[in-house]
Amino acid sequence: VNSQTAKKIILPNGMEYQVTGEGYKAKGNVIGEKLENAKELAFLGMINNEAKLGTKNIGDSIDLAFLVLARKLHINDNVKIIKKIPYESEKRYSSVFYEKDGDIYCTVKGSFEVVKSVCNKVQLTKEKITSNFLDIQNEELSKEGYRVICLATGKVRRKKEYEESDIKNLTFMGMVAFLDPIRKEALKAIKECQDAGIKVFMITGDHPLTAYHIGKELHLADDFDEVTTGDEIDQFLKRGKKVFDAFVLTKKIFTRVTPMQKLEIVTSLKRQGEFVAVTGDGVNDAPALKSANIGVAMGSGTDLAREVSNMIVLDDNFKSIVSGVREGRIAYSNIRKIIFFLISCGVTEVVFFLLSILFDLPTPLLAIQLLWLNVVTDGIQDFALSFEEGEKDIMKEKPRSPKENLFDKRLWEEILVSGLSMSVIVFLVWYFLIKHLHMDLSLARSYIMTLMVFLQNVHVFNCRSEKKSAFSVPLKSNKLIVVGVLGSVLLHLFIMKVSFLSNLLKTPEIPYLHLIYLLFLSFSIIVIVEIYKKVMGDKRYE
């Protein structure tokens, strides 16, 4: 939920404190004996900090959580800061040199491995760091899914300028265990991604055991072999691109990762033909966000992360990204449906005219009739198709290649099958009216025009899905289609009834029984396209 909360404080002697409350509101308590020891750790976390709590919280989530912890313990900042060494993900620590009671101290806050490496003794026990009891503490917390931040401090000699080389011989003070609860909807969102053929990777600076614990909860990984570390990434990078590419595909969780290593992972996936979206909120995420096909910044993230990204998720919710993918697929699908409808209707009119010319028949429709036909068959229906809700299994389809042409073989087949079928139906009726019934040309055109209105308005129901039967797509999911079709048909029948409009469009009235015949004949296009869909099924051409 992007809201780190300190849940435990563990001292090197095994003493443990429980912290109540959630998020960045200072509501809660620290429970345990001798709170002075807990206060000392919270004090170090508060002064070694780059965040600000307020109406709008600014800074890293862990820094914010330390400020909240200090407020719960009612700690005041009463020291003079001499120098700050900001946190960098490659170094995995931040440090502050400060003056207190006339002495100069150095404090370090960061990952267990780094903090332990600059310490030579342990608080409370005063032991030298030789045994592995600290390692066990860290490992146990990480297995439980906590993000563990360690703190150390110690006196340093007074000098004009302090450097990183002065961070040494400190006392290991303890660990603070943080928990950022998984959003309830995250598991479902990741499952939806996996069903959609979208691979989800976790790339984090956390301990491998912490990341694995979270990954198991999210069903991202089933085995610890799918977890790797920054050190292992560097080893495989040295072995060449091909070896590294193969290695990346065997892992799902990348831990203790630096910004450049994250960039290498993204580059590898792109090199292997993947279309990559990267999420992030910090300055350290900027290289990967910039390199990705789509950089997705969190709304609460840094200015740099937002500037280099292609889109910003205002609610910081992974589910919103998945919803975006779904809406994108629906929009793409609806564009295809509109193209399917419009071009197939266009093919019908063009082929019908060509057949009439080839068989030496009169011009089937006048210019004004063609214009009217476009109004009552194209203007409303294509607009209504854009409001299709999307098919239920749209998030179970495989992702499309970015190189895939919108006009693929399947779409051309659909257009030609339906377009040619409608043109043949209309032409046969036209031929029958002119050659066999010797009908008056004006009345015959009225029949043909009405048949085409019926055919194309019936055909719009075929276009609501490229795979599913027209009868399996509920009408209530897009009432605009129903309103549009009924409105168009009734409008056409109305103009035949009104003598002024009928004379204008040269469409004499047709007997009611013949209208029913034409309507039934128009349903033949449903049968033809249903057979095509049944034969082709879900097949999609690349």
Side-chain angles (χ1 to χ4, degrees):
V1 297
N2 200 28
S3 181
Q4 292 282 357
T5 305
K7 303 302 290 184
K8 291 182 180 182
I9 299 173
I10 300 92
L11 302 180
N13 64 357
M15 186 180 289
E16 186 174 306
Y17 301 87
Q18 299 293 327
V19 185
T20 62
E22 298 288 341
Y24 299 139
K25 293 182 179 180
K27 294 180 179 179
N29 300 296
V30 179
I31 303 168
E33 298 179 358
K34 297 181 180 180
L35 286 180
E36 291 75 16
N37 294 320
K39 286 183 176 181
E40 193 167 6
L41 261 72
F43 165 75
L44 295 174
M46 179 185 68
I47 63 171
N48 188 357
N49 205 294
E50 298 174 59
K52 287 184 181 180
L53 278 174
T55 52
K56 183 181 180 183
N57 298 324
I58 300 171
D60 178 74
S61 57
I62 289 293
D63 279 353
L64 288 167
F66 265 115
L67 293 180
V68 173
L69 177 62
R71 288 190 181 183
K72 289 178 181 178
L73 286 164
H74 309 290
I75 298 170
N76 295 316
D77 180 0
N78 58 353
V79 297
K80 180 183 177 183
I81 304 296
I82 297 172
K83 176 162 182 176
K84 286 187 175 184
I85 298 176
Y87 177 83
E88 292 182 15
S89 56
E90 292 94 338
K91 298 174 181 176
R92 303 208 301 274
Y93 79 90
S94 63
S95 181
V96 166
F97 292 86
Y98 65 98
E99 184 176 354
K100 184 179 180 182
D101 301 329
D103 293 317
I104 307 298
Y105 294 84
C106 172
T107 180
V108 172
K109 170 168 64 75
S111 69
F112 170 72
E113 297 84 358
V114 173
V115 174
K116 182 183 173 185
S117 69
V118 296
C119 294
N120 62 356
K121 55 182 179 292
V122 181
Q123 172 72 343
L124 299 178
T125 64
K126 299 299 182 184
E127 295 180 8
K128 289 187 176 180
I129 299 185
T130 53
S131 62
N132 65 348
F133 67 97
L134 293 177
D135 302 67
I136 294 170
Q137 280 184 338
N138 178 58
E139 192 167 305
E140 288 300 318
L141 289 169
S142 298
K143 282 181 180 178
E144 294 173 29
Y146 290 106
R147 186 174 182 182
V148 182
I149 302 296
C150 300
L151 298 114
T153 190
K155 284 185 181 181
V156 294
R157 64 185 180 86
R158 188 180 292 273
K159 56 188 291 191
K160 287 184 179 181
E161 191 66 37
Y162 293 94
E163 306 294 339
E164 291 184 27
S165 57
D166 296 308
I167 305 172
K168 58 186 176 182
N169 301 326
L170 303 181
T171 300
F172 191 94
M173 301 299 291
M175 308 175 184
V176 182
F178 295 86
L179 198 62
D180 185 2
I182 294 172
R183 292 180 186 267
K184 293 178 182 178
E185 64 271 23
L187 182 59
K188 182 181 178 182
I190 288 174
K191 176 66 167 60
E192 200 170 359
C193 277
Q194 292 167 341
D195 289 343
I198 300 170
K199 303 170 187 174
V200 183
F201 296 92
M202 181 195 295
I203 306 179
T204 176
D206 286 343
H207 191 283
L209 292 173
T210 303
Y212 179 55
H213 177 88
I214 296 168
K216 281 202 301 183
E217 284 191 48
L218 294 172
H219 297 173
L220 276 180
D222 301 316
D223 194 283
F224 194 71
D225 288 341
E226 294 174 303
V227 181
T228 186
T229 64
D231 291 340
E232 195 174 15
I233 290 170
D234 281 338
Q235 292 173 19
F236 277 87
L237 275 170
K238 292 175 183 176
R239 295 169 63 179
K241 291 180 181 179
K242 287 187 178 180
V243 175
F244 182 68
D245 289 350
F247 163 76
V248 166
L249 292 182
T250 64
K251 305 298 177 183
K252 293 181 180 177
I253 299 175
F254 301 82
T255 65
R256 296 297 194 216
V257 173
T258 67
M260 295 315 295
Q261 288 171 337
K262 184 184 285 192
L263 177 61
E264 290 289 352
I265 294 166
V266 171
T267 304
S268 171
L269 292 169
K270 288 174 66 179
R271 192 163 52 234
Q272 296 179 73
E274 302 286 359
F275 195 86
V276 184
V278 171
T279 65
D281 59 1
V283 173
N284 297 321
D285 297 316
L289 287 168
K290 182 70 173 175
S291 173
N293 296 105
I294 299 176
V296 184
M298 300 297 106
S300 63
T302 61
D303 291 340
L304 180 59
R306 293 198 298 267
E307 285 172 10
V308 301
S309 296
N310 303 98
M311 55 187 286
I312 300 171
V313 179
L314 295 177
D315 61 0
D316 291 4
N317 197 332
F318 183 75
K319 181 185 177 183
S320 298
I321 300 171
V322 180
S323 299
V325 173
R326 177 180 172 79
E327 289 303 316
R329 289 189 173 192
I330 291 172
Y332 184 85
S333 175
N334 287 350
I335 289 169
R336 284 179 61 99
K337 291 170 186 175
I338 293 167
I339 290 172
F340 176 20
F341 174 71
L342 289 177
I343 297 184
S344 59
C345 291
V347 166
T348 300
E349 295 167 14
V350 170
V351 174
F352 172 42
F353 267 73
L354 289 174
L355 289 172
S356 298
I357 293 169
L358 287 173
F359 284 84
D360 197 26
L361 295 176
T363 302
L365 296 172
L366 303 175
I368 193 170
Q369 292 173 332
L370 277 173
L371 289 172
W372 173 251
L373 190 62
N374 287 334
V375 169
V376 292
T377 60
D378 296 345
I380 300 172
Q381 291 78 350
D382 57 349
F383 176 73
L385 278 172
S386 67
F387 287 89
E388 284 295 316
E389 292 182 354
E391 293 161 40
K392 289 183 179 179
D393 61 350
I394 198 164
M395 286 300 284
K396 293 185 178 179
E397 296 177 0
K398 291 181 180 179
R400 292 178 293 102
S401 167
K403 297 177 183 178
E404 182 179 312
N405 197 328
L406 176 65
F407 286 89
D408 60 7
K409 189 177 178 182
R410 173 70 182 252
L411 184 56
W412 278 119
E413 276 187 2
E414 293 166 343
I415 290 169
L416 291 174
V417 167
S418 56
L420 293 176
S421 298
M422 287 190 290
S423 61
V424 168
I425 293 168
V426 176
F427 173 74
L428 291 175
V429 172
W430 178 243
Y431 189 91
F432 178 75
L433 295 175
I434 299 298
K435 291 293 186 180
H436 292 274
L437 297 183
H438 305 290
M439 187 178 286
D440 175 71
L441 189 58
S442 180
L443 182 60
R445 283 173 176 158
S446 186
Y447 272 82
I448 288 300
M449 191 173 171
T450 303
L451 175 59
M452 292 185 78
V453 169
F454 286 161
L455 263 175
Q456 294 184 26
N457 275 286
V458 168
H459 180 50
V460 74
F461 294 100
N462 287 324
C463 301
R464 295 186 69 198
S465 173
E466 292 186 67
K467 301 177 297 180
K468 292 184 177 180
S469 165
F471 302 103
S472 66
V473 184
L475 293 176
K476 63 181 180 180
S477 66
N478 190 352
K479 295 177 182 177
L480 191 59
I481 285 277
V482 180
V483 172
V485 167
L486 288 176
S488 296
V489 172
L490 291 174
L491 184 62
H492 179 73
L493 297 177
F494 175 75
I495 65 115
M496 287 196 298
K497 270 286 188 184
V498 179
S499 57
F500 167 71
L501 295 174
S502 176
N503 291 333
L504 180 67
L505 294 176
K506 297 180 173 52
T507 51
E509 189 176 354
I510 299 172
Y512 286 116
L513 183 60
H514 290 186
L515 286 174
I516 294 172
Y517 291 157
L518 292 175
L519 180 61
F520 273 104
L521 181 60
S522 68
F523 280 104
S524 59
I525 191 58
I526 290 277
V527 176
I528 292 167
V529 176
E530 286 292 309
I531 292 170
Y532 171 79
K533 288 179 181 178
K534 188 72 174 176
V535 172
M536 297 306 299
D538 290 348
K539 186 175 180 181
R540 190 179 82 187
Y541 297 102
E542 298 297 340

